[in-house]
Structure formats: C-alpha cells, structure tokens
C-alpha cells in the first residue's frame, strides 16, 4: 500500500476555557465587533428563502487580517451581503492570537457560526458543545461543486480528516492549488555547468555526484576551496529518498523541526522513528565526514528576513537548497511582477543572474526504490473551517455558508470579488490577463474586505487563467511527492510534541555530525517511544477510525 505522509502543524493553543463553560451557551448572542446592515434582497439573491426574505445573520470568524474589521460601506461586504441575502458580522483578532481571543469570547457566551480551527483542538470544540456535526453527505448535497473539487484532489486519502472526530465530520476543508505542487529543490545551474554536469540531478546517485563536485571542483571558479554541496534544507529530500519525510528542516535552533506522521493501513506512525530514516542518516553522516555538507547547517540556512531565503545558497556557500515552493524563486513573469520573494533577495546579491542559466528549479530526488517522497508545504486542506451549533440551529445559516463556498468554485465573477475585490479599484487586469492588486497594505485589504470571504479555497480554473505564466513554470518542474494530510490535534500531541521535537533534532544532528554512531538511532527510537511517540500514535490512530 502506498504510504501517505501527514504533516502535523505546530502545537495547539489550549482550549481549556471552552470546557464546561460552552455546553450551555445559547445561539442568540451576536458579535458586537462589526454589524453591517445589508441591502434588501433582490430577485437575483442566491440563497433567499421563498418563505423568508429577511436577511440571515451570520457571525463570521472565518478569516481576519491584523485585527482590522471591514468597512461597513465596502462594496465587497455589501455585494456579498446582497448576493446571499445575509447580514454578516465579521469577527476579528490578531492572527497570532486567534484562538486566544476567540476562546475568551466564546467562553463568555459569544459563539460564531463559522470558525477557523487555527489554534483550537477539535475534540474540545466538539466536547464542549461548540462544533456541530456536518455530515459529508450534506456537504455533497448542498455544495456539490466544492465537494467534487475536494475529492478530485484528495491524492492522500485524507479528505475532511482534519475535521473528523470519532467518525463524524465537523467542518470544511480548504483547497489551495499550490498545495498540489511538491516543494522544490533549487540548483546553481552555473555551478553544475562549471563542474561538467549538463542536467539538473534527479536521482540520488546524480545528487551525490553533484554535491561532491560542488565541494571539490571549485564550482564558483574563485580559486578557493570555500564551497559545499548542501546544508540543512536539502537534507529533507535526501531522507525523502528513503521514505516519507520525517521533519521539515533539520537545524539545531528553536523552534525545533516539526514532526511528520504517516497513515498506513489505518494506523498512524511517526516518520522520524521509522527504520528507513536510519539509512538516510547513514548517508548524511558519510557526506558530513567527507566534508560535502556545510558544517554550519546546524544553525540553518536562513539568517533573518523572509523565512524561505537560503543565505547559504545566495551567498555562494552551497550549490543546492530546498524546502521552498516554486513561486518563491520564479523570475518576473507578467507585467508589474517583481518575481518571487527569494528571487528578489538573490538578485540583490547577483543582479546578472538568469533563470535556467544561473539557477534552476529541480524535482525531489528519487531514491534506491525509484520513488521520491518529496513533500508539499500546504496540501489541499491546509485550513479547516469549523461549523458551530449556532449555524446548524438555523438551516438558512448552514445553507448560506455552503452556498458561499460552492459559488467560489463555480462563479468566476464572485471568486474575483471575494479574493481580489472590485476591478479597477482593488485590482487591475494586465494586458496578458494577469492580476495586479492596487491595495497598498494588509490593513487596506482588510478594510476593503478583500479575501475575507475567500474561505481559503481556490477556483483552480480561474487561478490558472489569471496566473497562467506562473503555472507554465510550475507544471514544467512539478515532480512527484507525498501530499501531507492534516490530522486533528490530540491531547498527547500537545503534551509530548515539544520534547519529541527536541529529542529528534538532537539525535539526528549528533548522528549526522558523527558525535553518535548511526546505530545509536535504535536507542533514539526507544527513547522517543517512551517519551510520548507511542501515545501520540495511539491517539492519532483512534481519532481517525
């Protein structure tokens, strides 16, 4: 059976305030944050009920930017309200304090109708009476186009898994087109040429040949032995040549590497303790001993600024880097495009650089079995929206939310409105058909209500149309990979993950650097299992059944 990688994202903020205090909450409390009067319903209203034309009130905690509420006069908010015959009260909170702020509000009796799972433990939302069951069959019936989109892209067999608890569904998965693309490697093409290599490496043997020549054959032609093959981020693809990726980036600084999990035969396992990783670490230890791995990998490749930037790469220290998406490195492709954020940093150091001449995007490396377990950063369901009992007590609320989601998938005009705003005011269409925002900053975006109702879900046909040039590049370099599947948090994860991350990072680094033997991996596995890995696997397995 094909293994399916699961990325567990971070540790969840405690939802202790919810327990007990929410079970008796009524659904009659409205948010006082933003109350926007909606225009009268028209004959084209998408969800107006025949027997009740009064706008349905929806408490919307589905998205927020910088704790800024939309302007009540925003054309976007007005149009969405009119189109769906709804009075929408938008809840706001600082993105980094999302669960903390809404925990307090909900504990005092204010319950939204739709809520991001961000920072919350689904089990506690369910057990405390906040989250409401929304059967997948109901979603299929009332939002058929959205349902089909999710299922068509469910390459990891985990549709709605992050919103499942004890066999019942409590939310909606989001779809991001970029999440269907694996992370990329980035190669110094000029270095490859300088050491006599004519193609971007694709196999483990080709990868090894390149990194040794990057170290020993003066690839930058400066007459000095001051280059290395790889640093921390490319280690992911090396380990992924043997099995599912165990962590994100191996570095010895906090926060320590996130741990990844796999579902196999309906059982969840922690990837870092699987025997395949011993083989990968053995190879990395050999490379480190031979001097082809940057000895500074322990501190990581990023020294500040945009997270995906590899300063080791852009400053001519290593010849391959990883853990990035293709769009981080794309050059300007359309009118007004400045290129990806890491591309921009690279050009500051090497202004004459050219794509496919100076650097190239590469695919995940194929291992001994011919497979490449490359990773995706997001996955199709990187966000989960929880439906609360407030929404299900009034059928019109749930119907409206599902209709809003389904319309994103079917109606290009509405998709553009929800995600980009009003044409010529919030965005313009370039001559090549691409979109350029006119909004200056996140605060203006929030005030205009741009993306507020995007529900994290792409309309792939529209996205590929308006960003055609970007996806031409993306499709050309798209390799194979293992899409991540997000699991709902469990108590053991919050209790043990931090210690396991530290234990794993320390042992992996010591094995790679030779401070510990490769055989010490077996002792690490025993320690990890007794330190909580067994309990996390057990609870994850129970929650997906």
């Amino acid at each position: 059976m094909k293994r399916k990688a699961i990325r567990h994202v971070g540790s969840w903020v405690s939802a202790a305030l919810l327990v007990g205090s929410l079970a008796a909450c009524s659904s009659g409390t409205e948010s006082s944050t933003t109350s926007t009067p909606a225009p009268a319903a028209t004959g084209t209203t998408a969800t107006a009920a025949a027997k009740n034309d009064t706008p349905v009130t929806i408490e919307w905690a589905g998205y927020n930017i910088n704790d800024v509420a939309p302007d009540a006069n925003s054309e976007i908010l007005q149009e969405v309200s009119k189109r769906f015959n709804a009075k929408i009260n938008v809840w706001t909170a600082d993105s980094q304090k999302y669960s903390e702020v809404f925990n307090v509000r909900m504990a005092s009796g204010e319950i939204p109708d739709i809520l991001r799972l961000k920072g919350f433990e689904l089990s506690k939302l369910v057990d405390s009476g906040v989250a409401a069951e929304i059967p997948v069959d109901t979603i299929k019936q009332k939002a058929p186009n959205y349902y089909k989109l999710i299922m068509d892209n469910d390459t990891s067999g985990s549709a709605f898994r992050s919103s499942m608890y004890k066999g019942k569904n409590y939310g909606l998965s989001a779809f991001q087109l970029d999440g269907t693309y694996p992370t990329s490697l980035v190669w110094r093409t000029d270095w490859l040429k300088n050491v006599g290599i004519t193609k971007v490496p694709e196999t483990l043997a080709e990868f090894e040949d390149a990194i040794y020549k990057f170290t020993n054959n003066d690839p930058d032609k400066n007459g000095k032995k001051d280059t290395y093959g790889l640093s921390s981020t490319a280690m992911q693809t090396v380990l992924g040549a043997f099995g599912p990726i165990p962590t994100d980036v191996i570095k010895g600084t906090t926060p320590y590497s996130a741990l990844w999990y796999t579902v196999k035969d309906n059982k969840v396992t922690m990837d870092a303790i699987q025997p395949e990783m011993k083989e990968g670490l053995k190879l990395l230890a050999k490379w480190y001993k031979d001097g082809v791995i940057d000895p500074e990998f322990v501190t990581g490749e990023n020294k500040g600024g945009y997270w995906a930037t590899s300063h080791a790469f852009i400053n001519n220290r290593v010849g391959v880097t990883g853990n990035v998406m293709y769009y981080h490195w794309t050059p300007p492709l359309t009118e007004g495009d400045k290129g990806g954020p890491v591309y921009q940093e690279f050009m500051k150091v090497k202004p004459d650089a050219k794509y496919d001449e100076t650097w190239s995007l590469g695919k995940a490396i194929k291992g001994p079995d011919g497979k490449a377990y490359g990773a995706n950063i997001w996955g199709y369901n990187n966000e989960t929206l929880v439906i609360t009992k407030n929404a299900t007590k009034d059928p019109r609320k749930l119907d409206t939310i599902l209709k809003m989601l389904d319309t994103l998938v079917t109606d290009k005009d509405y998709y553009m409105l929800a995600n980009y705003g009003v044409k010529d005011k919030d965005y313009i269409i370039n001559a090549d058909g691409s979109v350029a925002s006119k909004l200056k900053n996140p605060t203006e975006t929030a005030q205009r209500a741009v993306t507020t109702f995007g529900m994290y879900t792409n309309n792939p046909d529209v996205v590929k149309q308006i960003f055609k040039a970007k996806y031409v590049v993306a499709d050309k370099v798209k390799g194979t990979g293992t899409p991540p599947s997000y699991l709902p948090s469990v108590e053991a994860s919050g209790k043990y993950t931090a210690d396991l991350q530290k234990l794993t990072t320390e042992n992996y680094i010591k094995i790679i650097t030779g401070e510990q033997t490769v055989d010490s991996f077996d002792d690490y596995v025993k320690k990890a299992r007794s330190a909580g890995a067994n309990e996390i696997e057990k609870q994850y397995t129970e929650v997906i059944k």
Side-chain angles (χ1 to χ4, degrees):
M1 173 178 285
K2 183 180 178 181
R3 294 173 58 133
K4 305 175 180 68
I6 292 178
R7 182 179 183 182
H8 173 64
V9 184
S11 59
W12 298 97
V13 177
S14 173
L17 284 170
L18 290 169
V19 180
S21 65
L22 291 172
C25 289
S26 69
S27 62
T29 304
E30 291 189 1
S31 165
S32 60
T33 304
T34 303
S35 182
T36 306
T42 69
T44 59
T45 300
T47 58
K51 295 182 180 180
N52 184 3
D53 289 333
T54 303
V56 60
T57 298
I58 296 178
E59 302 296 331
W60 189 274
Y63 192 66
N64 59 283
I65 301 177
N66 290 355
D67 200 11
V68 178
D71 186 332
N73 295 316
S74 162
E75 296 100 311
I76 300 163
L77 183 55
Q78 292 288 333
E79 176 59 27
V80 172
S81 299
K82 180 171 66 175
R83 176 184 276 256
F84 297 101
N85 194 30
K87 175 184 176 183
I88 304 175
N89 297 327
V90 180
W91 292 32
T92 63
D94 184 290
S95 184
Q96 300 304 313
K97 298 179 180 179
Y98 184 88
S99 59
E100 178 183 341
V101 171
F102 291 156
N103 243 335
V104 174
R105 290 189 64 175
M106 290 192 292
S108 67
E110 296 180 89
I111 311 297
D113 295 304
I114 183 170
L115 176 75
R116 288 174 72 187
L117 189 56
K118 177 183 174 68
F120 289 105
E121 223 172 276
L122 180 62
S123 60
K124 291 183 179 178
L125 289 175
V126 175
D127 292 342
S128 61
V130 172
E133 181 187 1
I134 174 173
V136 174
D137 283 345
T138 298
I139 298 171
K140 182 178 180 180
Q141 176 188 356
K142 295 181 180 293
N145 298 288
Y146 155 76
Y147 175 81
K148 184 177 186 302
L149 176 67
I150 291 294
M151 299 310 294
D152 285 350
N153 288 277
D154 183 25
T155 54
S156 63
S158 60
F160 301 106
R161 183 181 286 154
S162 60
S163 57
M164 286 282 181
Y165 179 57
K166 294 183 178 179
K168 295 181 179 180
N169 182 59
Y170 294 89
L172 304 162
S173 295
F175 171 77
Q176 289 285 323
L177 180 60
D178 280 337
T180 66
Y181 289 80
T183 51
S184 296
L185 290 176
V186 186
W187 290 89
R188 281 294 297 267
T189 318
D190 54 349
W191 283 22
L192 290 171
K193 182 179 179 180
N194 287 343
V195 298
I197 297 174
T198 58
K199 64 184 289 285
V200 172
E202 294 185 4
T203 68
L204 193 59
E206 293 171 345
F207 185 96
E208 185 172 57
D209 179 52
I211 61 172
Y212 271 80
K213 288 177 177 176
F214 283 168
T215 304
N216 301 316
N217 294 14
D218 192 21
D220 58 354
K221 300 301 181 183
N222 70 350
K224 302 176 182 179
K225 195 175 188 303
D226 56 359
T227 57
Y228 299 91
L230 71 155
S231 187
S232 58
T233 60
M235 290 181 180
Q236 188 188 53
T237 197
V238 176
L239 294 173
F242 293 90
I245 306 290
T247 68
D248 48 10
V249 180
I250 301 172
K251 57 184 180 63
T253 55
T254 55
Y256 294 111
S257 298
L259 302 175
W260 291 27
Y261 294 83
T262 288
V263 174
K264 184 179 181 181
D265 299 329
N266 294 319
K267 182 179 179 181
V268 178
T269 57
M270 179 175 151
D271 292 326
I273 59 178
Q274 300 310 305
E276 302 97 308
M277 293 303 100
K278 185 176 182 179
E279 293 303 309
L281 289 170
K282 180 179 180 181
L283 185 59
L284 289 173
K286 175 183 181 299
W287 291 352
Y288 185 88
K289 183 178 180 181
D290 290 348
V292 300
I293 293 178
D294 183 354
E296 294 183 7
F297 84 87
V298 176
T299 59
E301 296 177 37
N302 179 267
K303 306 304 179 183
Y306 189 70
W307 70 269
T309 300
S310 168
H311 294 94
F313 184 87
I314 68 176
N315 290 322
N316 295 333
R317 190 172 176 88
V318 299
V320 61
T321 187
N323 197 41
V324 295
M325 295 296 288
Y326 71 91
Y327 53 78
H328 290 133
W329 273 93
T330 49
L333 300 170
T334 59
E335 182 182 346
D337 182 13
K338 295 181 180 179
V342 185
Y343 160 83
Q344 294 180 47
E345 292 298 314
F346 186 50
M347 295 302 289
K348 292 177 183 177
V349 176
K350 204 169 182 65
D352 297 329
K354 294 181 180 179
Y355 179 57
D356 267 348
E357 293 183 18
T358 312
W359 86 99
S360 296
L361 293 167
K363 302 175 182 178
I365 296 302
K366 295 178 182 178
D369 62 358
K371 296 180 180 179
Y373 295 89
N376 290 19
I377 286 182
W378 290 347
Y380 77 91
N381 60 343
N382 65 302
E383 278 283 351
T384 296
L385 298 170
V386 175
I387 301 300
T388 73
K389 289 194 172 180
N390 273 17
T392 56
K393 287 178 180 177
D394 181 350
R396 293 179 64 207
K397 290 189 176 188
L398 180 58
D399 288 354
T400 300
I401 291 171
L402 290 176
K403 183 64 177 178
M404 292 172 72
L405 184 55
D406 208 53
T407 304
L408 286 169
V409 178
T410 59
D411 189 322
K412 178 182 178 180
D413 290 340
Y414 177 67
Y415 180 83
M416 294 299 294
L417 176 76
N419 286 279
Y420 299 100
V422 178
K423 184 180 178 183
D424 296 328
K425 184 168 185 177
D426 299 311
Y427 72 93
I428 59 173
I429 301 292
N430 294 321
D432 58 8
S434 61
V435 170
S437 175
K438 296 182 69 176
L439 300 173
K440 299 179 179 64
N441 52 58
T443 296
E444 188 175 359
T445 299
Q447 290 173 336
R448 293 285 297 153
V450 173
T451 73
T452 298
F453 304 108
M455 299 176 79
Y456 302 92
T457 294
N458 286 164
N459 180 323
D461 294 334
V462 176
V463 172
K464 279 212 166 187
Q465 178 183 343
I466 61 179
F467 297 110
K468 181 179 179 180
K470 184 178 87 166
Y471 285 101
V472 168
V473 172
D475 289 335
K476 184 178 179 180
V477 300
K478 184 177 182 179
T480 58
T482 307
S485 299
Y486 292 81
L487 287 169
S489 186
V490 292
E491 184 177 356
S493 175
K495 184 177 181 180
Y496 300 115
T497 292
D499 288 341
L500 283 172
Q501 288 175 336
K502 186 174 185 291
L503 179 68
T504 299
T505 298
E506 289 177 347
N507 280 270
Y508 269 45
I509 288 176
K510 287 179 180 179
I511 291 173
I512 292 169
T513 59
E515 186 177 341
Q516 291 178 186
T517 66
V518 175
D519 286 337
S520 71
F521 177 82
D522 300 328
D523 292 329
Y524 150 71
V525 172
K526 294 177 182 177
K527 292 177 182 177
R529 290 201 171 281
S530 62
N534 281 351
E535 188 60 28
I536 291 177
E537 290 179 341
K538 176 175 177 286
Q539 290 189 20
Y540 271 148
T541 299
E542 290 173 349
V543 83
I544 67 170
K545 288 183 178 179

